[in-house]
Amino acid sequence: MTAAAATPQVDDRPPAPALGTVAEEGGTPSASERLRALVVVAVDRLAAAATAKVDEVADRLGDVAADAAKGALGGSGAGLGVGANAALQAGLAKMQGRNPVWAGIKGGFSAMSPGTRVAVGLLLILLAVLSPVLLLVLGLVLLIAAIVGAVRG
């Protein structure tokens, strides 16, 4: 929450009439006066609840915007998930006229934890080392299939 939201707000509206007030004529309040008082109290409570929710959502959006600005300036984008940070960085890059795919990859990678970054790096190295072996195995399988097909045919 921000410091402005923590300060109490001053209510300049006149107070709502109480339910048990006596009418000015000297008798009990009429049904319409009681209904009016109930409506005023209900509207006041609903307005207070709506104001609280709007303040809460505004604070959350402010936090997300601060995290996004931190991520756009090279920060980690803490608080956002990997996918959300990637999408946010891709959107920012698109608006700036840069490549959104590469910005999304960099944004997603920057939101990962250090352990995950190491694991992804090791997987990429392993893929680069083992891809020629995979191609050789695939070639051998196709060669054996061709020999078996020629012997049977």
Side-chain angles (χ1 to χ4, degrees):
M1 269 181 78
T2 61
T7 60
Q9 296 179 355
V10 178
D11 191 7
D12 294 334
R13 296 178 292 174
L19 292 178
T21 58
V22 178
E24 299 211 9
E25 297 91 33
T28 61
S30 67
S32 64
E33 289 173 350
R34 288 185 292 192
L35 181 62
R36 180 181 176 279
L38 280 173
V39 168
V40 167
V41 168
V43 167
D44 266 350
R45 287 183 181 171
L46 286 173
T51 302
K53 279 292 184 189
V54 167
D55 286 342
E56 181 182 328
V57 169
D59 286 342
R60 285 185 185 172
L61 286 175
D63 292 344
V64 168
D67 287 342
K70 196 184 308 178
L73 297 174
S76 65
L80 297 176
V82 174
N85 196 24
L88 182 68
Q89 293 301 321
L92 288 172
K94 179 70 175 172
M95 287 189 284
Q96 294 171 354
R98 296 184 294 130
N99 185 356
V101 175
W102 185 244
I105 291 170
K106 288 185 347 185
F109 194 75
S110 70
M112 291 180 187
S113 68
T116 308
R117 288 182 192 180
V118 168
V120 168
L122 288 175
L123 284 174
L124 289 174
I125 291 170
L126 190 63
L127 177 69
V129 169
L130 293 181
S131 59
V133 174
L134 180 66
L135 287 175
L136 284 174
V137 170
L138 182 63
L140 284 175
V141 167
L142 289 175
L143 182 64
I144 291 172
I147 292 173
V148 168
V151 169
R152 286 190 182 172

